[in-house]
Amino acid sequence: MLTMKLFSRPAYPVLSGICIGISLSLVCLPYFYLDESCEFILVPSETQLPQMHNIKQKAWPYGNPDDFEPRINLDSKPVRGNVEKGKMIRPRFAASELGIREKLFLGVNARRDTLNTLGVAINRTAAQFVDKLLFFVEAQMEQAPNGLPVVSFKDERNVLQPFHTMKYVADQYLEEYDWFMFIEDNTYIRAEQVVEFVSHVSISQDLYLGRMVDELQSLYCDLRSGIIFSNTALRKMAPQLEWCTKNAFSMDHTDNVGRCVLHTTGLACTPTASGRNFSSFLSHDFVFDRDVARLRANPVFNASLTVHPVNDVRSMYKLHRYFCERDMALAEEEIASIEAEMKVTACLTPQGCSHLPWPISVSEPSQPKNRFDVIRWDYFTPTHMYFPNDHDNMVPLRGADKLDVDDVVGFSERKLEDKYPGRYAFQGLVSGYRRFDPSRGLDYLLDVALDDVQKGSRVHKRIRLVKPLSHMEVVPMPYVTENSRVHIVVPVNDFEMAVLPKFLQVYAETCLERNDNSQLYVVFVYSSAAAPAAPGQEESADEFSALRATIADYEKRFPEGARITTLDLRKAVPSQLDVVEVVAKRMQEQDALLLVASAGVLLETEFLNRVRMQTIRRTQVFLPIAFFQYHPKIIYEKKPYPEAIEISKDVGFFDRHSFDHVAFYLSDYVLARDAYSADVATGHRLQSTASANVTDLCSLFLRTDLHLFRAPDPALKHAWLPRRCNPLLPEAEYHRCLVRRGEGLASRSQLAMLILKQQRANKANDISASSSSLPAA
């Protein structure tokens, strides 16, 4: 059976095709691959053997056959150009890369005659809740109200204003917001409630939200009550807004916008989304004083997100106050209900009712795991605070601490009056304790003096208060990068000459070798008794000649430019302002970022990047607190001393009295200097700010509206230097210098051990001296 299947009729065509194919391939192969330079010997016979021997002995015309390397022929291949991989440019913010958008954009179709009244009212009542607020007017305006974001169009046709608004918003803000709401300028909007409404609605659907027009089978939303578009719906409308402008033949904006939405997206108005209802109150003429008494019990009015029309600016402000008070009352009721429920629930727990925290809903005080985690209580009286830090025993109660204590005492007085009306007469604070718990807030224990009116005696009561941490919010700040050039200004006195070579070495390793975007200005400060060498004198007359030679050596080592500039300042008692003035005269760039530092600083790239990020032009000045090293002979037992400075309480401390390091923009300094000079001078500007009382940069910037950011910086380390306090300095600055010189020597425990060792050594010397003076037996 197998033989029959193999040689059956269907197998003959297959076998014939295979044979014919093999024969043709063998016949045609020599013609396709024949090369004239090759010799083929098919069947070697006896007569052909000598010829083959001659072929083997024939020299290879292309050199040594062992060195032959195959080559790939690419002549017939398509040429592909070398495509360079472009550098990936990442967005500024992570939200942009992840596609996260802001929540709500609010556009107001305004009129020029009501922009100063109703427009300002909407801006004051809604701008703080929505992410973006813009006002759109139908014609150009000469001057808009201050602080009011206004966009005007050249087309004065009022009928096309909504479409011009949508076109502008789609072109500018379509990629930035999830929801877009448009209202008229005589519509009051509860912006906070609208944001909460859209926050609970899914953004993955096309929505055309609003109050439906009061007509039978209407598909349009009433623009007077406000309409809300989802991002996807406005995206579909944007390419076809030209059709909408051509077919806007009605004088009613609601009709034109509704027709446009229906044509471009096919959406009909819907008042609900995700189980939530867009409620709006619409009347013919709303006057707050006349209508509010009637509408207080109206649930539609109380739940409305918008109210139209509100043509009186006073009515708009009163309406805003009414809804704010109502929201606060509802919030207090909800808080009371939650607290009562928490009390009932706490009694059902294994710990029982006694485990209920106080106040309710506030975290319990943190429990320390060891003695190092114990949070210290600060003791204070009406005039002083005791042991506020590790360095001071007693300081006057003033500034922010004074305001905080007065606020807490005033609150306690009001609560006592509410709890015991007419019973006690508050006499004042006796003493108190304060503690800051990062997981809870500020805890207070106050001892207050009260006069008992009924008994005619004075009593003391202890009051416990908590100021809990409230909801945190991100403070918006301008965008900054780490690409700015830092101009480092280092003044050098005669007693700082010894540490400048070390500073230059660190600067070369940190900035020059790594090509950091920075520039160094070394300001040599000459006292009145010393001066740089004159042209005719020898160079040895200059006390800084060795340092100038060192700087010139760095310029030779880095031929591309060492970016080190030397300047001279001749003054007996120079200030920071004098140093900055010398540098400012040499700089051409007004927006330069300056860092005034000391010669003992050990620069690090991390610190320079932090200077770039924390110094913001026209907004913020950076005053880092450096870690100052103690005297090496005291903190180290023997030489050689380590070059690196370790952040440790036995090695150094963060000097809170130091204002030597300041980072700022030159333009901010010029504005602050000119403003201060104008305040001091009577009718004319001072030629030199150094002649005034303000001599340091911190005091100068405190007089401005700039924010001063001051914090310890672990990347800013300062080597120990002998501090010289000039008696010619201002009294406050001279006193601060004496304090810094005393605290910068060593820690208290180290000084105590040093004194103890010296006393023991003196005692041993006295004993040896007395024993040597005794007569021999």
Side-chain angles (χ1 to χ4, degrees):
M1 295 296 294
L2 182 61
T3 307
M4 292 177 63
K5 289 184 179 180
L6 186 62
F7 295 93
S8 60
R9 183 175 180 179
Y12 283 111
V14 177
L15 295 175
S16 302
I18 293 174
C19 294
I20 294 173
I22 293 175
S23 302
L24 290 176
S25 62
L26 293 176
V27 172
C28 299
L29 184 63
Y31 296 97
F32 292 154
Y33 292 90
L34 182 62
D35 192 354
E36 296 179 355
S37 62
C38 299
E39 297 182 7
F40 289 90
I41 301 174
L42 300 179
V43 183
S45 60
E46 295 181 357
T47 58
Q48 292 175 331
L49 289 177
Q51 297 179 6
M52 294 181 62
H53 181 71
N54 295 334
I55 291 175
K56 292 181 180 179
Q57 293 181 352
K58 190 175 181 180
W60 180 257
Y62 303 104
N64 188 3
D66 296 335
D67 297 337
F68 174 75
E69 294 182 1
R71 290 182 298 176
I72 300 177
N73 185 9
L74 299 177
D75 296 338
S76 60
K77 302 293 183 180
V79 180
R80 179 184 300 178
N82 295 329
V83 181
E84 297 182 359
K85 295 183 179 180
K87 183 179 180 181
M88 184 180 65
I89 301 176
R90 302 194 60 179
R92 285 184 174 182
F93 306 102
S96 302
E97 188 171 0
L98 298 176
I100 301 175
R101 295 188 287 259
E102 299 289 345
K103 188 58 64 180
L104 180 63
F105 174 93
L106 179 60
V108 182
N109 293 323
R111 296 162 293 176
R112 287 181 295 177
D113 54 343
T114 61
L115 196 61
N116 289 309
T117 54
L118 296 177
V120 173
I122 293 177
N123 185 58
R124 289 180 176 178
T125 58
Q128 57 182 326
F129 300 109
V130 298
D131 297 306
K132 185 70 175 181
L133 173 62
L134 284 182
F135 292 85
F136 299 91
V137 294
E138 70 276 5
Q140 296 285 346
M141 293 189 61
E142 295 181 359
Q143 185 176 2
N146 293 331
L148 206 65
V150 179
V151 177
S152 56
F153 304 108
K154 296 181 179 180
D155 193 347
E156 298 185 2
R157 290 176 292 179
N158 181 264
V159 68
L160 299 180
Q161 182 183 357
F163 303 113
H164 291 323
T165 299
M166 294 180 184
K167 176 64 175 175
Y168 179 86
V169 173
D171 293 341
Q172 301 294 330
Y173 302 105
L174 189 59
E175 303 297 335
E176 299 181 17
Y177 300 94
D178 290 331
W179 300 97
F180 300 88
M181 184 174 184
F182 301 96
I183 61 173
E184 303 287 345
D185 61 350
N186 60 344
T187 300
Y188 170 75
I189 174 175
R190 297 174 66 184
E192 187 176 8
Q193 301 299 325
V194 173
V195 173
E196 184 181 0
F197 174 80
V198 298
S199 298
H200 292 81
V201 180
S202 175
I203 62 174
S204 61
Q205 50 187 333
D206 300 341
L207 286 178
Y208 172 36
L209 287 168
R211 182 182 183 275
M212 298 185 67
V213 177
D214 296 333
E215 295 180 2
L216 187 61
Q217 297 181 351
S218 175
L219 302 177
Y220 302 160
C221 291
D222 197 334
L223 183 60
R224 298 174 300 174
S225 298
I227 56 176
I228 300 177
F229 294 104
S230 63
N231 183 280
T232 54
L234 187 61
R235 190 180 299 273
K236 292 180 179 180
M237 293 174 57
Q240 305 182 55
L241 288 176
E242 186 68 24
W243 181 93
C244 300
T245 57
K246 294 180 180 179
N247 292 271
F249 48 81
S250 175
M251 297 303 296
D252 187 4
H253 292 331
T254 298
D255 186 62
N256 293 331
V257 173
R259 186 185 306 106
C260 175
V261 175
L262 190 62
H263 173 78
T264 57
T265 64
L267 297 175
C269 179
T270 175
T272 60
S274 300
R276 291 179 170 266
N277 184 38
F278 182 90
S279 178
S280 176
F281 182 80
L282 186 64
S283 66
H284 296 288
D285 185 19
F286 177 82
V287 179
F288 181 84
D289 296 334
R290 182 191 65 192
D291 300 333
V292 69
R294 174 176 52 88
L295 296 173
R296 285 183 183 273
N298 189 340
V300 177
F301 175 75
N302 291 329
S304 60
L305 300 178
T306 58
V307 178
H308 181 88
V310 185
N311 296 315
D312 182 15
V313 65
R314 289 182 176 271
S315 295
M316 184 167 289
Y317 285 123
K318 291 180 179 180
L319 190 61
H320 180 68
R321 179 177 179 178
Y322 169 79
F323 280 112
C324 288
E325 291 176 350
R326 178 174 176 78
D327 292 340
M328 290 178 60
L330 293 176
E332 290 177 356
E333 292 178 3
E334 185 177 1
I335 291 173
S337 176
I338 294 174
E339 288 182 352
E341 185 177 354
M342 292 178 64
K343 290 180 181 179
V344 175
T345 307
C347 296
L348 302 177
T349 60
Q351 292 82 4
C353 300
S354 60
H355 189 67
L356 186 66
W358 182 89
I360 299 177
S361 73
V362 178
S363 302
E364 297 184 4
S366 59
Q367 299 297 327
K369 296 181 179 180
N370 49 56
R371 63 187 181 91
F372 299 103
D373 296 337
V374 176
I375 302 177
R376 180 176 57 192
W377 287 86
D378 297 330
Y379 176 75
F380 59 87
T381 63
T383 57
H384 289 81
M385 181 171 289
Y386 295 84
F387 303 103
N389 50 60
D390 296 334
H391 305 285
D392 298 323
N393 296 331
M394 181 181 65
V395 295
L397 187 63
R398 57 188 178 186
D401 294 327
K402 177 67 174 177
L403 296 176
D404 178 59
V405 171
D406 292 343
D407 180 53
V408 173
V409 171
F411 180 80
S412 303
E413 182 179 0
R414 293 190 297 269
K415 286 297 181 180
L416 286 173
E417 182 63 27
D418 295 340
K419 188 174 183 179
Y420 307 101
R423 173 75 182 275
Y424 296 106
F426 191 83
Q427 296 301 319
L429 173 70
V430 178
S431 62
Y433 296 88
R434 183 181 67 177
R435 180 184 69 174
F436 175 70
D437 191 338
S439 63
R440 175 181 171 90
L442 281 168
D443 288 290
Y444 297 88
L445 291 176
L446 303 181
D447 293 330
V448 296
L450 305 173
D451 285 343
D452 194 336
V453 179
Q454 297 178 358
K455 298 181 179 180
S457 60
R458 174 165 293 189
V459 296
H460 288 180
K461 282 188 174 294
R462 170 159 289 187
I463 304 173
R464 181 183 178 187
L465 301 95
V466 177
K467 188 182 291 184
L469 294 175
S470 59
H471 178 68
M472 293 182 294
E473 57 181 277
V474 179
V475 179
M477 298 293 286
Y479 176 75
V480 292
T481 63
E482 297 180 353
N483 300 327
S484 303
R485 167 169 287 192
V486 181
H487 300 265
I488 307 172
V489 180
V490 179
V492 181
N493 298 316
D494 52 354
F495 63 92
E496 296 176 333
M497 296 171 53
V499 297
L500 185 61
K502 178 63 177 180
F503 176 85
L504 294 175
Q505 178 186 352
V506 175
Y507 175 75
E509 296 174 355
T510 305
C511 300
L512 299 182
E513 295 180 359
R514 300 179 183 180
N515 198 22
D516 186 81
N517 192 12
S518 61
Q519 170 122 12
L520 176 61
Y521 293 85
V522 180
V523 181
F524 294 113
V525 180
Y526 294 88
S527 62
S528 58
Q537 295 178 350
E538 298 181 358
E539 190 176 354
S540 59
D542 186 4
E543 56 183 329
F544 299 108
S545 58
L547 298 178
R548 296 180 188 273
T550 304
I551 295 175
D553 180 64
Y554 280 105
E555 293 177 352
K556 295 179 181 179
R557 289 174 53 187
F558 299 93
E560 298 296 331
R563 294 171 292 180
I564 303 178
T565 304
T566 58
L567 302 173
D568 297 334
L569 175 62
R570 303 173 182 87
K571 196 167 185 179
V573 187
S575 64
Q576 283 185 330
L577 302 185
D578 297 323
V579 175
V580 175
E581 285 293 334
V582 172
V583 178
K585 293 178 181 178
R586 292 287 302 271
M587 300 188 66
Q588 302 295 332
E589 183 182 358
Q590 289 297 320
D591 291 336
L593 173 58
L594 271 69
L595 169 64
V596 178
S598 174
V601 168
L602 303 180
L603 290 178
E604 295 184 12
T605 305
E606 178 184 354
F607 169 68
L608 295 178
N609 290 335
R610 192 173 293 115
V611 167
R612 297 182 177 100
M613 298 297 295
Q614 300 299 338
T615 309
I616 306 174
R617 187 166 63 93
R618 299 180 182 177
T619 304
Q620 182 170 281
V621 177
F622 184 40
L623 291 92
I625 302 177
F627 183 82
F628 282 78
Q629 184 188 27
Y630 287 139
H631 199 300
K633 292 184 178 180
I634 300 178
I635 61 177
Y636 299 119
E637 297 181 356
K638 59 181 179 179
K639 293 184 178 182
Y641 305 138
E643 296 184 0
I645 299 177
E646 180 185 0
I647 302 294
S648 173
K649 64 177 183 178
D650 297 329
V651 177
F653 72 112
F654 287 99
D655 191 355
R656 55 193 176 90
H657 298 291
S658 172
F659 298 92
D660 300 337
H661 311 95
V662 187
F664 57 92
Y665 278 89
L666 183 60
S667 57
D668 295 338
Y669 167 77
V670 173
L671 293 176
R673 179 198 61 188
D674 294 344
Y676 177 68
S677 299
D679 293 340
V680 175
T682 56
H684 64 279
R685 182 175 297 176
L686 293 178
Q687 298 296 327
S688 176
T689 58
S691 60
N693 294 329
V694 173
T695 57
D696 62 283
L697 292 169
C698 181
S699 302
L700 178 66
F701 287 118
L702 280 175
R703 302 174 58 90
T704 65
D705 296 333
L706 297 174
H707 178 255
L708 272 65
F709 179 54
R710 180 165 169 82
D713 196 323
L716 180 59
K717 303 175 183 178
H718 195 287
W720 184 83
L721 275 177
R723 187 166 302 278
R724 185 179 63 183
C725 299
N726 195 333
L728 300 179
L729 291 171
E731 182 178 358
E733 189 173 351
Y734 178 69
H735 176 72
R736 186 169 69 242
C737 180
L738 294 178
V739 173
R740 292 184 61 191
R741 186 171 65 180
E743 294 181 352
L745 190 61
S747 64
R748 294 184 177 182
S749 59
Q750 291 171 337
L751 292 177
M753 291 299 298
L754 185 64
I755 294 175
L756 182 60
K757 290 181 180 179
Q758 186 64 33
Q759 289 178 350
R760 290 177 178 176
N762 294 339
K763 185 176 180 180
N765 294 334
D766 294 341
I767 294 175
S768 61
S770 59
S771 61
S772 61
S773 60
L774 293 176

